[in-house]
Amino acid sequence: MDIDVVFQIAGVGIIVAILSQLLTKSDNKEAALMVTVAGLIVVFLMVVDEIRILFDTIKTVFRL
Amino acid sequence: MMYDIWTWIIFAVVGAVSALVLRQVNPAFSLCIGIFCACGILLGMMSSVSGLSDFLRTLSVQAGIDDDGFEVLLKALGVGYLTQFASDLCKDAGESALASSVETVGRVTIVCLAMEPASALLTMIGEMLKG
């Protein structure tokens, strides 16, 4: 659990936004969409790991 | 891993500012930052909560309260935390229908958890009325 991951997510978001802008300007809208989806998947992988840890902790703490 | 409250305040504010910056560029990423920060803050809280629940368990054992009722209470607390977390995230994503259905599921789950002690109580009352 680190604040660095927040900045990582923000960085990935900004890079994806810049790339998709560039690709849209060069008339390549499909590639722009693909880049956005790929970035979202990468970010979701980070977030899902954190959610798993949270759910495991809640399970053990409250004996659900 | 136990941080003090300032760490979590700074964590929340930094997360909020990053999400705000990213919202204009790509709203889905700002939602991801929100989910991540909420998870982190709740995880940080859980270390305190586990100490607290251990303390309450010891208290209930010392007071001679039966363990089942207390476990149900703690489970209801956990279900409440989880459903509030999920429904707030759904509200953040703009899906208030999903949020309210998750809240309903949480309420129903808590009532189902409480059914066993309630039926025990009703049986006890019935026996007292008979005898």
Side-chain angles (χ1 to χ4, degrees), chain A residues 12-63:
Chain A
V12 171
I14 290 171
I15 289 168
V16 163
I18 292 170
L19 281 180
S20 78
Q21 285 280 331
L22 285 178
L23 286 170
T24 315
K25 285 273 158 52
S26 63
D27 252 358
N28 210 345
K29 281 189 180 149
E30 292 86 6
L33 183 69
M34 288 303 148
V35 166
T36 311
V37 171
L40 261 182
I41 289 172
V42 168
V43 169
F44 262 126
L45 281 179
M46 296 178 188
V47 172
V48 161
D49 203 42
E50 194 66 19
I51 292 178
R52 183 185 56 80
I53 296 172
L54 175 70
F55 282 4
D56 282 350
T57 317
I58 288 183
K59 248 187 201 168
T60 46
V61 167
F62 295 106
R63 296 184 188 167

Short mmCIF file of all heavy atoms in Angstrom, two decimals, chain A residues 12-63:
data_model
loop_
_atom_site.label_atom_id
_atom_site.label_comp_id
_atom_site.label_asym_id
_atom_site.label_seq_id
_atom_site.Cartn_x
_atom_site.Cartn_y
_atom_site.Cartn_z
N VAL A 12 -0.19 6.79 -15.88
CA VAL A 12 -0.71 5.96 -16.96
C VAL A 12 -1.88 6.67 -17.65
O VAL A 12 -1.99 6.69 -18.89
CB VAL A 12 -1.13 4.57 -16.42
CG1 VAL A 12 -1.86 3.80 -17.50
CG2 VAL A 12 0.06 3.80 -15.97
N GLY A 13 -2.74 7.31 -16.84
CA GLY A 13 -3.88 8.01 -17.42
C GLY A 13 -3.47 9.14 -18.32
O GLY A 13 -4.01 9.30 -19.43
N ILE A 14 -2.48 9.92 -17.89
CA ILE A 14 -2.05 11.07 -18.70
C ILE A 14 -1.38 10.59 -19.99
O ILE A 14 -1.64 11.12 -21.08
CB ILE A 14 -1.10 11.97 -17.87
CG1 ILE A 14 -1.92 12.65 -16.78
CG2 ILE A 14 -0.44 13.01 -18.74
CD1 ILE A 14 -1.10 13.39 -15.78
N ILE A 15 -0.52 9.55 -19.86
CA ILE A 15 0.17 9.04 -21.05
C ILE A 15 -0.85 8.50 -22.05
O ILE A 15 -0.76 8.76 -23.27
CB ILE A 15 1.19 7.94 -20.65
CG1 ILE A 15 2.36 8.57 -19.91
CG2 ILE A 15 1.69 7.20 -21.86
CD1 ILE A 15 3.25 7.58 -19.23
N VAL A 16 -1.84 7.76 -21.53
CA VAL A 16 -2.87 7.20 -22.42
C VAL A 16 -3.65 8.32 -23.10
O VAL A 16 -3.96 8.25 -24.30
CB VAL A 16 -3.81 6.27 -21.61
CG1 VAL A 16 -5.10 6.02 -22.37
CG2 VAL A 16 -3.13 4.97 -21.32
N ALA A 17 -3.93 9.40 -22.33
CA ALA A 17 -4.69 10.51 -22.93
C ALA A 17 -3.89 11.16 -24.05
O ALA A 17 -4.43 11.44 -25.13
CB ALA A 17 -5.01 11.53 -21.84
N ILE A 18 -2.57 11.38 -23.80
CA ILE A 18 -1.73 12.01 -24.83
C ILE A 18 -1.66 11.13 -26.08
O ILE A 18 -1.84 11.60 -27.21
CB ILE A 18 -0.31 12.27 -24.27
CG1 ILE A 18 -0.37 13.34 -23.19
CG2 ILE A 18 0.63 12.70 -25.37
CD1 ILE A 18 0.91 13.50 -22.43
N LEU A 19 -1.42 9.81 -25.86
CA LEU A 19 -1.33 8.89 -27.00
C LEU A 19 -2.62 8.86 -27.80
O LEU A 19 -2.60 8.90 -29.04
CB LEU A 19 -1.00 7.48 -26.50
CG LEU A 19 0.46 7.21 -26.14
CD1 LEU A 19 0.62 5.80 -25.67
CD2 LEU A 19 1.34 7.46 -27.35
N SER A 20 -3.75 8.84 -27.07
CA SER A 20 -5.01 8.74 -27.82
C SER A 20 -5.31 10.03 -28.56
O SER A 20 -5.86 10.00 -29.66
CB SER A 20 -6.15 8.35 -26.89
OG SER A 20 -6.58 9.45 -26.16
N GLN A 21 -4.88 11.18 -27.99
CA GLN A 21 -5.02 12.45 -28.71
C GLN A 21 -4.21 12.43 -29.99
O GLN A 21 -4.70 12.81 -31.07
CB GLN A 21 -4.53 13.61 -27.83
CG GLN A 21 -5.46 14.00 -26.72
CD GLN A 21 -6.58 14.88 -27.22
OE1 GLN A 21 -6.39 15.60 -28.18
NE2 GLN A 21 -7.73 14.78 -26.59
N LEU A 22 -2.92 11.97 -29.87
CA LEU A 22 -2.05 11.92 -31.05
C LEU A 22 -2.64 11.02 -32.12
O LEU A 22 -2.67 11.37 -33.31
CB LEU A 22 -0.66 11.42 -30.65
CG LEU A 22 0.22 12.41 -29.89
CD1 LEU A 22 1.54 11.76 -29.52
CD2 LEU A 22 0.49 13.64 -30.75
N LEU A 23 -3.13 9.83 -31.68
CA LEU A 23 -3.67 8.88 -32.65
C LEU A 23 -4.95 9.41 -33.29
O LEU A 23 -5.20 9.16 -34.48
CB LEU A 23 -3.91 7.54 -31.97
CG LEU A 23 -2.63 6.76 -31.66
CD1 LEU A 23 -2.92 5.58 -30.77
CD2 LEU A 23 -1.98 6.29 -32.95
N THR A 24 -5.75 10.14 -32.50
CA THR A 24 -6.99 10.69 -33.08
C THR A 24 -6.66 11.76 -34.10
O THR A 24 -7.30 11.85 -35.16
CB THR A 24 -7.86 11.31 -31.97
OG1 THR A 24 -7.89 10.40 -30.88
CG2 THR A 24 -9.27 11.54 -32.44
N LYS A 25 -5.62 12.59 -33.79
CA LYS A 25 -5.24 13.65 -34.73
C LYS A 25 -4.72 13.07 -36.04
O LYS A 25 -4.89 13.67 -37.10
CB LYS A 25 -4.15 14.54 -34.09
CG LYS A 25 -4.71 15.47 -33.03
CD LYS A 25 -5.20 16.76 -33.65
CE LYS A 25 -6.21 17.47 -32.77
NZ LYS A 25 -5.81 17.70 -31.40
N SER A 26 -4.07 11.89 -35.95
CA SER A 26 -3.53 11.30 -37.18
C SER A 26 -4.52 10.32 -37.80
O SER A 26 -4.13 9.36 -38.46
CB SER A 26 -2.20 10.61 -36.88
OG SER A 26 -2.41 9.56 -35.99
N ASP A 27 -5.83 10.59 -37.52
CA ASP A 27 -6.90 9.82 -38.15
C ASP A 27 -6.80 8.32 -37.91
O ASP A 27 -6.91 7.52 -38.84
CB ASP A 27 -6.92 10.10 -39.67
CG ASP A 27 -8.13 10.96 -40.00
OD1 ASP A 27 -8.90 11.24 -39.05
OD2 ASP A 27 -8.30 11.33 -41.16
N ASN A 28 -6.59 7.96 -36.66
CA ASN A 28 -6.48 6.54 -36.34
C ASN A 28 -7.31 6.27 -35.09
O ASN A 28 -6.79 5.93 -34.04
CB ASN A 28 -5.00 6.20 -36.12
CG ASN A 28 -4.72 4.77 -36.50
OD1 ASN A 28 -5.64 3.98 -36.66
ND2 ASN A 28 -3.45 4.46 -36.65
N LYS A 29 -8.62 6.44 -35.23
CA LYS A 29 -9.47 6.42 -34.05
C LYS A 29 -9.53 5.04 -33.39
O LYS A 29 -9.64 4.94 -32.17
CB LYS A 29 -10.88 6.88 -34.42
CG LYS A 29 -10.95 8.38 -34.53
CD LYS A 29 -12.35 8.86 -34.68
CE LYS A 29 -12.32 10.39 -34.78
NZ LYS A 29 -13.39 10.92 -35.59
N GLU A 30 -9.46 3.97 -34.21
CA GLU A 30 -9.52 2.62 -33.64
C GLU A 30 -8.34 2.38 -32.72
O GLU A 30 -8.48 1.85 -31.61
CB GLU A 30 -9.55 1.56 -34.73
CG GLU A 30 -10.80 1.54 -35.56
CD GLU A 30 -10.75 2.52 -36.72
OE1 GLU A 30 -9.67 3.12 -36.92
OE2 GLU A 30 -11.77 2.71 -37.40
N ALA A 31 -7.15 2.79 -33.21
CA ALA A 31 -5.95 2.59 -32.39
C ALA A 31 -6.04 3.40 -31.10
O ALA A 31 -5.62 2.93 -30.03
CB ALA A 31 -4.71 2.99 -33.18
N ALA A 32 -6.63 4.61 -31.19
CA ALA A 32 -6.78 5.44 -29.98
C ALA A 32 -7.66 4.73 -28.97
O ALA A 32 -7.36 4.69 -27.77
CB ALA A 32 -7.39 6.78 -30.36
N LEU A 33 -8.75 4.14 -29.45
CA LEU A 33 -9.65 3.40 -28.55
C LEU A 33 -8.94 2.22 -27.92
O LEU A 33 -9.05 1.97 -26.71
CB LEU A 33 -10.87 2.92 -29.35
CG LEU A 33 -11.93 2.20 -28.53
CD1 LEU A 33 -12.62 3.17 -27.61
CD2 LEU A 33 -12.92 1.52 -29.43
N MET A 34 -8.15 1.51 -28.74
CA MET A 34 -7.41 0.35 -28.22
C MET A 34 -6.43 0.76 -27.14
O MET A 34 -6.28 0.10 -26.11
CB MET A 34 -6.66 -0.37 -29.35
CG MET A 34 -7.55 -1.14 -30.29
SD MET A 34 -8.52 -2.32 -29.39
CE MET A 34 -9.99 -2.34 -30.35
N VAL A 35 -5.73 1.90 -27.37
CA VAL A 35 -4.76 2.38 -26.37
C VAL A 35 -5.47 2.69 -25.06
O VAL A 35 -5.02 2.33 -23.97
CB VAL A 35 -4.00 3.61 -26.91
CG1 VAL A 35 -3.27 4.31 -25.79
CG2 VAL A 35 -3.02 3.19 -27.97
N THR A 36 -6.65 3.35 -25.18
CA THR A 36 -7.39 3.69 -23.96
C THR A 36 -7.81 2.43 -23.21
O THR A 36 -7.67 2.35 -21.99
CB THR A 36 -8.65 4.51 -24.33
OG1 THR A 36 -8.25 5.57 -25.19
CG2 THR A 36 -9.30 5.07 -23.11
N VAL A 37 -8.31 1.43 -23.96
CA VAL A 37 -8.76 0.20 -23.32
C VAL A 37 -7.58 -0.51 -22.66
O VAL A 37 -7.69 -1.01 -21.52
CB VAL A 37 -9.46 -0.71 -24.35
CG1 VAL A 37 -9.72 -2.07 -23.76
CG2 VAL A 37 -10.77 -0.10 -24.80
N ALA A 38 -6.42 -0.55 -23.35
CA ALA A 38 -5.24 -1.22 -22.78
C ALA A 38 -4.80 -0.52 -21.49
O ALA A 38 -4.49 -1.18 -20.49
CB ALA A 38 -4.11 -1.22 -23.80
N GLY A 39 -4.80 0.81 -21.51
CA GLY A 39 -4.43 1.55 -20.30
C GLY A 39 -5.39 1.26 -19.17
O GLY A 39 -4.97 1.06 -18.02
N LEU A 40 -6.67 1.20 -19.49
CA LEU A 40 -7.68 0.91 -18.45
C LEU A 40 -7.45 -0.47 -17.85
O LEU A 40 -7.57 -0.65 -16.63
CB LEU A 40 -9.08 0.97 -19.06
CG LEU A 40 -9.83 2.27 -18.83
CD1 LEU A 40 -11.21 2.17 -19.43
CD2 LEU A 40 -9.95 2.55 -17.35
N ILE A 41 -7.11 -1.44 -18.71
CA ILE A 41 -6.90 -2.81 -18.20
C ILE A 41 -5.70 -2.83 -17.25
O ILE A 41 -5.75 -3.43 -16.18
CB ILE A 41 -6.70 -3.79 -19.38
CG1 ILE A 41 -8.03 -3.99 -20.09
CG2 ILE A 41 -6.18 -5.12 -18.89
CD1 ILE A 41 -7.93 -4.76 -21.36
N VAL A 42 -4.62 -2.13 -17.65
CA VAL A 42 -3.43 -2.09 -16.79
C VAL A 42 -3.77 -1.50 -15.43
O VAL A 42 -3.43 -2.03 -14.37
CB VAL A 42 -2.31 -1.26 -17.48
CG1 VAL A 42 -1.20 -0.97 -16.50
CG2 VAL A 42 -1.78 -1.98 -18.68
N VAL A 43 -4.53 -0.38 -15.46
CA VAL A 43 -4.88 0.29 -14.20
C VAL A 43 -5.81 -0.58 -13.38
O VAL A 43 -5.66 -0.69 -12.15
CB VAL A 43 -5.50 1.66 -14.51
CG1 VAL A 43 -6.12 2.26 -13.29
CG2 VAL A 43 -4.43 2.59 -15.04
N PHE A 44 -6.75 -1.26 -14.05
CA PHE A 44 -7.68 -2.12 -13.33
C PHE A 44 -6.94 -3.26 -12.64
O PHE A 44 -7.32 -3.68 -11.54
CB PHE A 44 -8.74 -2.68 -14.27
CG PHE A 44 -10.02 -1.92 -14.22
CD1 PHE A 44 -10.59 -1.40 -15.37
CD2 PHE A 44 -10.66 -1.70 -13.01
CE1 PHE A 44 -11.77 -0.68 -15.31
CE2 PHE A 44 -11.83 -0.98 -12.96
CZ PHE A 44 -12.39 -0.47 -14.10
N LEU A 45 -5.88 -3.78 -13.30
CA LEU A 45 -5.10 -4.86 -12.67
C LEU A 45 -4.51 -4.39 -11.35
O LEU A 45 -4.51 -5.13 -10.36
CB LEU A 45 -4.01 -5.35 -13.61
CG LEU A 45 -4.51 -6.30 -14.70
CD1 LEU A 45 -3.36 -6.70 -15.59
CD2 LEU A 45 -5.12 -7.53 -14.06
N MET A 46 -4.00 -3.13 -11.34
CA MET A 46 -3.45 -2.60 -10.08
C MET A 46 -4.55 -2.50 -9.03
O MET A 46 -4.37 -2.87 -7.87
CB MET A 46 -2.88 -1.20 -10.29
CG MET A 46 -1.71 -1.08 -11.20
SD MET A 46 -1.28 0.66 -11.33
CE MET A 46 -0.08 0.63 -12.61
N VAL A 47 -5.72 -1.97 -9.45
CA VAL A 47 -6.79 -1.70 -8.49
C VAL A 47 -7.39 -3.00 -7.96
O VAL A 47 -7.68 -3.12 -6.77
CB VAL A 47 -7.86 -0.81 -9.16
CG1 VAL A 47 -9.07 -0.68 -8.27
CG2 VAL A 47 -7.29 0.56 -9.43
N VAL A 48 -7.53 -4.00 -8.86
CA VAL A 48 -8.16 -5.26 -8.45
C VAL A 48 -7.32 -5.96 -7.39
O VAL A 48 -7.86 -6.54 -6.45
CB VAL A 48 -8.38 -6.15 -9.69
CG1 VAL A 48 -8.58 -7.59 -9.29
CG2 VAL A 48 -9.59 -5.68 -10.46
N ASP A 49 -5.99 -5.88 -7.51
CA ASP A 49 -5.11 -6.48 -6.50
C ASP A 49 -5.39 -5.86 -5.13
O ASP A 49 -5.49 -6.56 -4.12
CB ASP A 49 -3.67 -6.27 -6.92
CG ASP A 49 -2.76 -7.29 -6.29
OD1 ASP A 49 -3.17 -8.46 -6.25
OD2 ASP A 49 -1.68 -6.90 -5.83
N GLU A 50 -5.52 -4.53 -5.13
CA GLU A 50 -5.79 -3.82 -3.87
C GLU A 50 -7.14 -4.22 -3.29
O GLU A 50 -7.29 -4.45 -2.08
CB GLU A 50 -5.76 -2.31 -4.15
CG GLU A 50 -5.69 -1.45 -2.94
CD GLU A 50 -4.39 -1.61 -2.19
OE1 GLU A 50 -3.42 -2.11 -2.77
OE2 GLU A 50 -4.39 -1.25 -1.00
N ILE A 51 -8.16 -4.34 -4.18
CA ILE A 51 -9.49 -4.72 -3.71
C ILE A 51 -9.45 -6.13 -3.10
O ILE A 51 -10.07 -6.39 -2.07
CB ILE A 51 -10.50 -4.67 -4.87
CG1 ILE A 51 -10.72 -3.22 -5.31
CG2 ILE A 51 -11.83 -5.24 -4.47
CD1 ILE A 51 -11.65 -3.09 -6.47
N ARG A 52 -8.67 -7.03 -3.73
CA ARG A 52 -8.56 -8.40 -3.21
C ARG A 52 -7.98 -8.38 -1.80
O ARG A 52 -8.48 -9.05 -0.89
CB ARG A 52 -7.67 -9.23 -4.14
CG ARG A 52 -7.54 -10.67 -3.75
CD ARG A 52 -6.55 -11.38 -4.64
NE ARG A 52 -5.24 -10.72 -4.65
CZ ARG A 52 -4.33 -10.86 -3.68
NH1 ARG A 52 -4.58 -11.63 -2.67
NH2 ARG A 52 -3.16 -10.24 -3.75
N ILE A 53 -6.91 -7.57 -1.62
CA ILE A 53 -6.29 -7.50 -0.29
C ILE A 53 -7.30 -6.98 0.72
O ILE A 53 -7.42 -7.50 1.84
CB ILE A 53 -5.04 -6.61 -0.33
CG1 ILE A 53 -3.98 -7.21 -1.24
CG2 ILE A 53 -4.46 -6.43 1.05
CD1 ILE A 53 -2.81 -6.31 -1.48
N LEU A 54 -8.06 -5.93 0.31
CA LEU A 54 -9.05 -5.35 1.24
C LEU A 54 -10.10 -6.38 1.63
O LEU A 54 -10.44 -6.53 2.82
CB LEU A 54 -9.71 -4.14 0.59
CG LEU A 54 -10.84 -3.53 1.41
CD1 LEU A 54 -10.30 -2.85 2.65
CD2 LEU A 54 -11.65 -2.56 0.60
N PHE A 55 -10.61 -7.13 0.63
CA PHE A 55 -11.68 -8.10 0.93
C PHE A 55 -11.15 -9.21 1.81
O PHE A 55 -11.84 -9.66 2.74
CB PHE A 55 -12.25 -8.65 -0.38
CG PHE A 55 -13.20 -7.71 -1.05
CD1 PHE A 55 -13.42 -6.44 -0.54
CD2 PHE A 55 -13.88 -8.09 -2.19
CE1 PHE A 55 -14.29 -5.56 -1.15
CE2 PHE A 55 -14.76 -7.22 -2.81
CZ PHE A 55 -14.96 -5.96 -2.30
N ASP A 56 -9.91 -9.67 1.55
CA ASP A 56 -9.34 -10.72 2.40
C ASP A 56 -9.22 -10.24 3.84
O ASP A 56 -9.54 -10.97 4.78
CB ASP A 56 -7.96 -11.13 1.87
CG ASP A 56 -8.08 -12.04 0.68
OD1 ASP A 56 -9.21 -12.49 0.40
OD2 ASP A 56 -7.05 -12.31 0.02
N THR A 57 -8.75 -8.98 3.99
CA THR A 57 -8.59 -8.45 5.35
C THR A 57 -9.93 -8.36 6.05
O THR A 57 -10.06 -8.75 7.22
CB THR A 57 -7.96 -7.04 5.29
OG1 THR A 57 -6.91 -7.05 4.35
CG2 THR A 57 -7.43 -6.65 6.64
N ILE A 58 -10.96 -7.85 5.32
CA ILE A 58 -12.29 -7.73 5.95
C ILE A 58 -12.81 -9.11 6.33
O ILE A 58 -13.39 -9.30 7.39
CB ILE A 58 -13.25 -7.00 5.00
CG1 ILE A 58 -12.89 -5.52 4.94
CG2 ILE A 58 -14.70 -7.14 5.45
CD1 ILE A 58 -13.81 -4.70 4.11
N LYS A 59 -12.57 -10.11 5.46
CA LYS A 59 -13.01 -11.48 5.75
C LYS A 59 -12.39 -11.98 7.04
O LYS A 59 -13.06 -12.59 7.87
CB LYS A 59 -12.59 -12.39 4.61
CG LYS A 59 -13.75 -12.93 3.80
CD LYS A 59 -13.21 -13.93 2.82
CE LYS A 59 -14.15 -14.14 1.67
NZ LYS A 59 -13.50 -14.89 0.60
N THR A 60 -11.08 -11.75 7.20
CA THR A 60 -10.44 -12.29 8.41
C THR A 60 -10.83 -11.49 9.65
O THR A 60 -11.01 -12.06 10.71
CB THR A 60 -8.91 -12.30 8.27
OG1 THR A 60 -8.50 -11.05 7.75
CG2 THR A 60 -8.44 -13.38 7.36
N VAL A 61 -10.95 -10.15 9.50
CA VAL A 61 -11.24 -9.33 10.68
C VAL A 61 -12.64 -9.61 11.20
O VAL A 61 -12.85 -9.83 12.40
CB VAL A 61 -11.07 -7.84 10.35
CG1 VAL A 61 -11.65 -6.98 11.47
CG2 VAL A 61 -9.60 -7.50 10.19
N PHE A 62 -13.63 -9.65 10.29
CA PHE A 62 -15.01 -9.81 10.75
C PHE A 62 -15.47 -11.27 10.69
O PHE A 62 -16.64 -11.56 10.96
CB PHE A 62 -15.95 -8.95 9.90
CG PHE A 62 -15.70 -7.48 10.08
CD1 PHE A 62 -15.08 -6.74 9.11
CD2 PHE A 62 -16.08 -6.85 11.25
CE1 PHE A 62 -14.84 -5.40 9.28
CE2 PHE A 62 -15.84 -5.52 11.43
CZ PHE A 62 -15.22 -4.79 10.45
N ARG A 63 -14.59 -12.20 10.31
CA ARG A 63 -14.90 -13.64 10.20
C ARG A 63 -16.15 -13.85 9.36
O ARG A 63 -17.07 -14.57 9.77
CB ARG A 63 -15.07 -14.26 11.58
CG ARG A 63 -13.79 -14.20 12.38
CD ARG A 63 -13.92 -14.89 13.69
NE ARG A 63 -12.73 -14.63 14.50
CZ ARG A 63 -12.65 -14.88 15.78
NH1 ARG A 63 -13.66 -15.40 16.40
NH2 ARG A 63 -11.56 -14.61 16.46
#
